[in-house]
Amino acid sequence: MKKPTLKDVAREVGVHVSSVSRALDPNARTPPADEMILRIKEAADRLGYRPNRLAAGLRTKRTMTVGVIIPDITNTLFPPILRGIESVLEPLGYAAIIVNTDGLPEREDRLLDVLQERGVDGIIHVAVLRHDPKVAQMAREGLPLVTLNRRLENSDIPCVTNDDDAGIEMALRHLMDLGHVHIGHVAGPTVFSTGKQRLAAFETASRKLGIQIVPAAVVPASRYDETEGARCTDLVMRANPRITGILCANDRLALGALEALSQKGLSCPRDVSVTGFNDIPFLDRIPPGLTTVRTEKFEAGQTAARLLLEIINGDGNPVPPETVLPVKLIIRGSTGPIGAMGA
Amino acid sequence: MKKPTLKDVAREVGVHVSSVSRALDPNARTPPADEMILRIKEAADRLGYRPNRLAAGLRTKRTMTVGVIIPDITNTLFPPILRGIESVLEPLGYAAIIVNTDGLPEREDRLLDVLQERGVDGIIHVAVLRHDPKVAQMAREGLPLVTLNRRLENSDIPCVTNDDDAGIEMALRHLMDLGHVHIGHVAGPTVFSTGKQRLAAFETASRKLGIQIVPAAVVPASRYDETEGARCTDLVMRANPRITGILCANDRLALGALEALSQKGLSCPRDVSVTGFNDIPFLDRIPPGLTTVRTEKFEAGQTAARLLLEIINGDGNPVPPETVLPVKLIIRGSTGPIGAMGA
DNA sequence: ATGAAAGCGCTAACAA
DNA sequence: TTGTTAGCGCTTTCAT
């Protein structure tokens, strides 16, 4: 009735538990005789034996479980990342505990405890702030840790990021090629490395491309959501009504920008072109189709998971501190030539 | 450097580990003296003690972890459900291990093992098939289990479902009210209880409302996805070209129907009206806006989690075998009056 | 090649 | 009120 343990299998075969343990462990240092292994495995199968990973973990300090911290699973940016992570973890016998911070640092702190109490072998952090003492501390104490999308500043926690610089430059160049001269930027929250980095990239790229930026037409959002995108877009347009192109730090801000523009009676792309970042799902089906910078979400998850496993199981060789994934400009209907004849 | 244990706290305070254990356990049967508790808690705090739930779980057979099985996290139907589950679990100290089956029974079997090896206290199954011997077996062995959205047939596993019957009837009546007479149904896979149930509801409701159904205009999909929705829609229209209304068993099928129609040069809703089921996110932003039956996803998650906890921690009172959540018709642009003057 | 024994960190009788 | 003890199921060193 109740779950059989090693002891039950041992009794069944008439050997000691340690023999059973060894027979079932493919990398046992002193495996039993082949014939014995067969008998033991047969009995284990027959009894429906399943190892108790809690007990094993208590002994070995390895739970084959990793924690994944994201801001919010209902944000469609994250599920593909999670599938990427799972795709490398699961075949190796690892399971993931996924937690949502909702962007609240105090919640994040508690969740870090939750994960650590469960003895996770490592954490993939997809929601880290630029400064996060607790995460820094845990990494220092030896907890294997990898950040994804964002990075923790002044730390040597390996991170997997997207090529923000290239992406922003592509988007800006695209707007320029369409003839746009007056361009604004709805920047991401500066507490995230992505917000800061993309803002810096915007400034660098506009200098490089010779585009004049009105400082007031660069507005940082306080969250990565549509409401903030709309609010900031209003400010951008107010700062410089001649603007015909708005580059947003991510897709949700851009979706908000679209709303704000139509609210003002402006048409996209006829009056104002808009670009996003990430290429979250469904964008192609939402008119007018957001032009955006596609990041490799599944790959990013895979890469982060591989890095984490390397840290956990590797032979101590240092892993690359930063892996930058390539991005790609996806052109859709939200960007168009300046002064295009509209319907 | 390394994580302090009960023993460390005990040594610090100069008491026995069991006293520390009791001091930290709010429902200890024999708690230490108040003053002692204070001293112990202070020391525990000071040392940064965190309980090791693995060890506790090994002892108590309770891990404060539950498993959640879903088909695919990238399907936007599921994240809100997960947040609902989390919203009741997390405050109580439970964590969730989420796994994706991709609709593959063999994968599901393996994942059930994964969860059980980790000693989950219970499982919320959001991807169960109508027949699933392994799940039935585990429930019989006493593993607390609740199914969500779908139900396992011939079993007494408690389930949280939506009012499929009412939803389908609402949708059908809505089409009828708009003047539609020739109506088809893209049914869900019959391996899922939702597919079967909604199909039955469609038949019942059409009889009740006096709508004549051409049997060939009822086509079951083999998966809940857009491709199948499109394929089945083709078959439906071929079965009866006079059809002006298609009721789909879920939103993704309906999205596929929309594609198939436009492929055929038919306009929605001018030529054919379409309805879905679930009201997944973003539907309002995708033209023409799918009319659909909204299910309470977050609530469903909450309800399932509460039921599971009741089974795990309750005083053995039986929990309701079935909780049916109300649904609501959301009317958008994909349904319109028959023969409407189009642009 | 196999068995014995210790112990991971914790809880819960039972004893004092 | 507090300490002692045993043991959850497993791994692993050491002995045979």
Side-chain angles (χ1 to χ4, degrees):
Chain A
M1 197 67 223
K2 61 183 300 296
K3 286 203 298 186
T5 69
L6 277 189
K7 209 197 250 174
D8 299 315
V9 180
R11 187 175 335 103
E12 180 76 10
V13 186
V15 294
H16 195 266
V17 288
S18 59
S19 295
V20 181
S21 173
R22 283 186 279 243
L24 267 27
D25 177 2
N27 341 309
R29 302 172 60 73
T30 53
D34 288 1
E35 189 260 356
M36 180 86 285
I37 293 187
L38 252 41
R39 274 177 56 206
I40 291 175
K41 284 197 168 168
E42 183 277 324
D45 264 20
R46 187 154 37 77
L47 297 185
Y49 170 76
R50 299 268 90 209
N52 178 332
R53 291 200 189 271
L54 279 166
L58 184 57
R59 234 344 280 241
T60 60
K61 265 77 193 61
R62 319 184 69 252
T63 55
M64 301 298 280
T65 304
V66 315
V68 181
I69 304 178
I70 58 175
D72 178 11
I73 186 70
T74 63
N75 182 332
T76 53
L77 173 60
F78 300 108
I81 293 175
L82 294 177
R83 291 308 303 256
I85 292 174
E86 185 200 39
S87 76
V88 351
L89 252 31
E90 203 260 341
L92 269 41
Y94 284 84
I97 297 181
I98 299 160
V99 295
N100 303 277
T101 65
D102 285 319
L104 306 173
E106 63 276 19
R107 200 168 137 82
E108 189 212 335
D109 279 8
R110 207 178 53 245
L111 292 170
L112 283 167
D113 285 340
V114 165
L115 293 178
Q116 208 166 29
E117 286 176 8
R118 280 174 177 72
V120 294
D121 295 338
I123 291 178
I124 297 178
H125 203 318
V126 199
V128 81
L129 299 175
R130 277 171 48 217
H131 302 286
D132 193 324
K134 182 148 186 169
V135 168
Q137 171 65 14
M138 289 172 76
R140 227 175 295 119
E141 284 170 358
L143 179 74
L145 205 46
V146 172
T147 69
L148 200 160
N149 277 2
R150 310 176 186 165
R151 79 192 77 198
L152 184 67
E153 280 184 10
N154 306 317
S155 91
D156 47 8
I157 298 175
C159 65
V160 177
T161 60
N162 306 297
D163 197 339
D164 290 326
D165 295 350
I168 294 295
E169 186 177 330
M170 282 173 182
L172 192 56
R173 188 184 292 274
H174 170 61
L175 288 175
M176 211 182 80
D177 288 349
L178 290 169
H180 297 277
V181 175
H182 302 287
I183 296 176
H185 179 44
V186 176
T190 49
V191 289
F192 303 140
S193 61
T194 48
K196 185 186 173 193
Q197 177 102 10
R198 291 173 196 168
L199 172 54
F202 177 74
E203 285 165 345
T204 307
S206 50
R207 245 193 314 279
K208 177 170 162 190
L209 300 177
I211 293 177
Q212 204 76 349
I213 299 300
V214 178
V218 174
V219 181
S222 62
R223 289 184 310 278
Y224 270 131
D225 66 22
E226 290 78 5
T227 311
E228 274 294 285
R231 184 184 67 83
C232 296
T233 297
D234 276 340
L235 293 176
V236 166
M237 294 306 292
R238 202 162 299 168
N240 181 2
R242 300 169 65 198
I243 276 178
T244 60
I246 301 181
L247 193 151
C248 300
N250 92 349
D251 293 333
R252 297 189 64 187
L253 294 174
L255 254 16
L258 256 25
E259 279 166 27
L261 290 174
S262 86
Q263 202 75 38
K264 294 175 114 66
L266 293 171
S267 152
C268 171
R270 206 187 48 213
D271 300 315
V272 180
S273 286
V274 173
T275 68
F277 206 107
N278 279 336
D279 194 29
I280 58 176
F282 284 102
L283 243 33
D284 52 335
R285 315 209 43 171
I286 299 173
L290 187 66
T291 293
T292 190
V293 176
R294 175 177 297 166
T295 55
E296 297 301 336
K297 299 149 208 70
F298 191 86
E299 313 269 324
Q302 288 188 309
T303 307
R306 287 201 201 97
L307 278 174
L308 188 68
L309 291 180
E310 177 65 25
I311 300 175
I312 294 174
N313 301 322
D315 33 17
N317 297 341
V319 306
E322 181 167 359
T323 308
V324 179
L325 265 24
V327 297
K328 196 170 151 186
L329 185 68
I330 306 293
I331 298 175
R332 300 203 181 93
S334 71
T335 49
I338 193 166
M341 293 301 143
Chain B
M1 197 65 225
K2 61 182 299 297
K3 284 204 296 188
T5 70
L6 277 190
K7 209 196 252 172
D8 298 315
V9 180
R11 188 176 331 103
E12 181 76 10
V13 185
V15 295
H16 195 267
V17 288
S18 61
S19 295
V20 181
S21 173
R22 284 187 279 244
L24 267 27
D25 177 2
N27 349 305
R29 302 171 62 73
T30 53
D34 288 2
E35 188 261 356
M36 178 87 283
I37 293 188
L38 252 40
R39 276 177 55 206
I40 290 176
K41 283 197 169 168
E42 182 277 325
D45 263 22
R46 187 154 38 77
L47 297 185
Y49 169 77
R50 298 268 90 208
N52 179 334
R53 288 197 190 272
L54 273 129
L58 183 57
R59 203 33 249 243
T60 61
K61 264 75 192 74
R62 319 184 70 252
T63 55
M64 301 297 281
T65 304
V66 314
V68 181
I69 304 179
I70 58 174
D72 178 11
I73 186 69
T74 62
N75 181 333
T76 53
L77 173 60
F78 300 108
I81 293 175
L82 295 177
R83 291 307 303 257
I85 293 175
E86 184 200 40
S87 76
V88 353
L89 253 31
E90 202 258 341
L92 269 40
Y94 284 83
I97 297 182
I98 298 160
V99 296
N100 303 277
T101 65
D102 285 320
L104 307 173
E106 63 275 19
R107 199 168 138 82
E108 188 212 335
D109 280 6
R110 207 177 53 246
L111 292 171
L112 283 167
D113 285 341
V114 165
L115 293 178
Q116 208 166 29
E117 286 176 9
R118 279 172 178 75
V120 294
D121 295 339
I123 291 180
I124 296 178
H125 203 318
V126 199
V128 81
L129 299 175
R130 277 173 47 216
H131 302 286
D132 192 324
K134 182 148 188 170
V135 168
Q137 171 65 15
M138 288 170 77
R140 226 175 295 120
E141 284 171 359
L143 179 73
L145 207 45
V146 172
T147 68
L148 200 161
N149 277 1
R150 308 176 186 166
R151 79 193 76 198
L152 184 67
E153 281 184 9
N154 305 318
S155 92
D156 48 7
I157 299 176
C159 65
V160 177
T161 60
N162 307 297
D163 196 340
D164 290 327
D165 295 351
I168 292 295
E169 188 178 330
M170 283 174 183
L172 192 55
R173 187 183 293 273
H174 170 60
L175 288 175
M176 212 183 80
D177 288 348
L178 289 169
H180 298 277
V181 175
H182 301 287
I183 296 177
H185 179 43
V186 176
T190 49
V191 289
F192 304 139
S193 61
T194 48
K196 185 185 174 196
Q197 177 101 9
R198 290 173 195 168
L199 170 54
F202 177 74
E203 285 165 347
T204 307
S206 50
R207 244 191 316 276
K208 176 171 163 189
L209 299 177
I211 294 178
Q212 203 75 348
I213 298 299
V214 179
V218 174
V219 181
S222 62
R223 289 184 310 278
Y224 270 132
D225 66 22
E226 290 78 5
T227 311
E228 274 295 285
R231 183 183 70 81
C232 297
T233 298
D234 276 340
L235 294 176
V236 166
M237 294 306 293
R238 202 162 300 170
N240 182 3
R242 299 168 65 198
I243 275 178
T244 60
I246 301 180
L247 192 151
C248 301
N250 90 350
D251 293 332
R252 296 189 65 185
L253 294 173
L255 254 15
L258 256 25
E259 279 167 26
L261 291 174
S262 88
Q263 202 75 39
K264 293 175 115 67
L266 292 172
S267 154
C268 171
R270 206 188 48 214
D271 302 315
V272 181
S273 286
V274 173
T275 68
F277 207 106
N278 279 336
D279 194 29
I280 57 176
F282 283 102
L283 243 35
D284 53 335
R285 315 209 41 170
I286 299 173
L290 187 66
T291 292
T292 190
V293 176
R294 175 178 296 166
T295 56
E296 296 301 336
K297 300 150 207 69
F298 191 87
E299 313 271 320
Q302 288 188 309
T303 306
R306 287 201 201 98
L307 278 174
L308 188 69
L309 291 181
E310 178 61 27
I311 299 175
I312 295 175
N313 302 322
D315 33 15
N317 296 342
V319 305
E322 181 166 1
T323 308
V324 179
L325 266 22
V327 298
K328 195 171 152 186
L329 185 67
I330 305 293
I331 299 174
R332 299 203 180 91
S334 71
T335 48
I338 192 165
M341 293 297 144

